[in-house]
């Protein structure tokens, strides 16, 4: 129950939060030392996301799961200005500097780097690090959106040049229970992912797939080098159930349904020094 308590208290505080981009946010850096991997939970995660099981090396996305309880303590805290319930993951950068062993011990740290206005509300940037010994071996930078009415006029965003279309991809059929299954192995029980009724409370007609499940599933199909930088944007929610197409090529991957792009990501191998 201890891991669920920050999520519960954060949920209870959510209706009383008044999000705005200029709000005070905690400068706290939460740290947890001596973190070890539970082999059974790791195997369940690997199966749920499509990674091979039995390898000593952790999937690139798994430290995010290990750090999730810390992130919930921070984002569900009294002094974090955005409501935890309904937060939508909008992007993530993942950097792995070296292979991570499932048998090693890690120190995890999470902090809020800042708030920013968004055309649909306020976005928070959260930075996570994993250390083995004194070395940072993995880090991530995520953005989370709290949707709310805003009168802020955003400057026009330059339209990026469209990349070359990827070759035809593979069709994936996603069941309505994907959100509940991922919640069971990740601990992320945000109600927007779980049931139609709870998703509708936050403006979604059906439950949506976790952003971290979609990027993990894509990376399981794509593969990554030991030292790698992955950047992924969650462009549109995947309403469950769904039939989507995964495609990859030239260091890029996408998840889409027809003309609707859900995930757009890049995979960049790093040098031997991790840069």
């Amino acid at each position: 129950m201890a891991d669920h308590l920050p999520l519960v208290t954060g949920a209870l505080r959510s209706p009383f939060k008044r999000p705005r981009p200029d709000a005070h946010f905690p400068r706290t850096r939460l740290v947890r030392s001596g973190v070890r991997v539970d082999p059974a939970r790791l195997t369940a995660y690997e199966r749920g996301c499509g990674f091979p099981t039995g390898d000593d090396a952790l999937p690139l996305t798994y430290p995010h799961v290990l750090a999730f309880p810390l992130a919930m303590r921070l984002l569900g805290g009294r002094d974090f200005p955005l409501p935890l319930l309904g937060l939508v993951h909008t992007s993530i950068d993942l950097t792995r500097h070296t292979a991570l062993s499932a048998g090693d011990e890690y120190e995890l740290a999470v902090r809020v780097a800042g708030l920013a206005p968004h055309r649909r509300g306020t976005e928070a940037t959260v930075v996570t690090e994993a250390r083995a010994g004194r070395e940072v071996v993995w880090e991530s930078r995520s953005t989370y959106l709290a949707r709310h009415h805003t009168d802020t006029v955003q400057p026009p965003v330059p339209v990026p040049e469209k990349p070359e279309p990827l070759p035809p991809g593979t069709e994936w059929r996603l069941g309505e229970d994907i959100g509940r299954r991922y919640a069971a192995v990740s601990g992320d029980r945000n109600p927007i992912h779980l049931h139609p009724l709870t998703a509708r409370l936050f403006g979604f007609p059906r439950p949506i797939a976790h952003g971290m499940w979609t990027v993990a599933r894509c990376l399981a199909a794509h593969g990554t080098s030991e030292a790698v930088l992955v950047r992924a944007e969650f462009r549109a929610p995947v309403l469950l159930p769904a039939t989507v197409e995964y495609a990859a090529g030239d260091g890029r991957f996408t998840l889409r349904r027809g003309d609707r792009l859900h995930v757009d990501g890049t995979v960049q191998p790093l040098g031997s020094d991790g840069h």
Side-chain angles (χ1 to χ4, degrees):
M1 180 64 185
D3 280 355
H4 302 334
L5 188 58
L7 184 58
V8 172
T9 56
L12 293 174
R13 289 174 177 143
S14 289
F16 305 100
K17 300 292 182 76
R18 296 295 178 263
R20 64 181 196 277
D22 60 346
H24 169 80
F25 63 89
R27 267 63 175 183
T28 311
R29 181 175 179 268
L30 297 184
V31 179
R32 183 181 174 192
S33 301
V35 176
R36 288 193 171 275
V37 174
D38 179 332
R41 187 177 179 188
L42 172 61
T43 298
Y45 174 87
E46 290 169 333
R47 286 175 177 158
C49 297
F51 292 105
T53 61
D55 291 346
D56 177 66
L58 294 180
L60 174 62
T61 47
Y62 198 67
H64 180 90
V65 174
L66 294 176
F68 186 75
L70 273 186
M72 288 302 96
R73 277 179 52 196
L74 194 58
L75 302 185
R78 191 183 305 276
D79 53 351
F80 183 69
L82 307 187
L84 181 61
L85 284 185
L87 274 184
V88 178
H89 204 173
T90 51
S91 74
I92 189 166
D93 290 1
L94 295 158
T95 304
R96 181 171 60 198
H97 298 284
T98 187
L100 308 182
S101 170
D104 282 352
E105 186 175 279
Y106 297 98
E107 177 186 277
L108 304 173
V110 178
R111 63 183 174 88
V112 178
L115 303 180
H118 186 280
R119 61 188 175 87
R120 292 184 177 173
T122 299
E123 206 167 52
T125 298
V126 178
V127 174
T128 305
E129 291 180 348
R131 292 176 181 266
R134 296 184 178 182
E135 297 296 321
V136 175
V137 292
W138 179 99
E139 52 195 314
S140 73
R141 189 176 186 89
S142 285
T143 55
Y144 296 92
L145 173 65
R147 304 198 308 175
H148 60 86
H149 175 73
T150 175
D151 294 322
T152 304
V153 178
Q154 295 294 313
V157 178
V159 178
E161 186 176 329
K162 286 189 177 181
E164 290 294 321
L166 293 174
T170 304
E171 186 176 274
W172 293 344
R173 295 187 179 183
L174 312 182
E176 186 268 341
D177 63 342
I178 284 288
R180 295 190 294 276
R181 288 164 53 193
Y182 183 76
V185 298
S186 70
D188 184 350
R189 293 176 173 82
N190 189 326
I192 62 177
H193 304 300
L194 303 181
H195 297 281
L197 178 60
T198 55
R200 284 197 291 270
L201 293 175
F202 298 93
F204 297 99
R206 304 198 303 274
I208 67 174
H210 294 74
M212 285 307 299
W213 180 85
T214 62
V215 75
R217 183 68 186 88
C218 288
L219 292 175
H222 187 284
T224 58
S225 56
E226 287 189 359
V228 67
L229 167 61
V230 169
R231 290 188 167 125
E233 293 186 16
F234 307 116
R235 299 290 188 87
V238 178
L239 297 172
L240 299 170
T243 299
V244 294
E245 181 187 86
Y246 162 79
D250 296 326
R252 181 169 168 248
F253 62 87
T254 60
L255 194 68
R256 64 189 318 133
R257 182 175 185 177
D259 293 332
R260 188 169 179 80
L261 180 62
H262 295 294
V263 182
D264 191 6
T266 58
V267 179
Q268 177 186 345
L270 300 179
S272 58
D273 60 352
H275 299 283

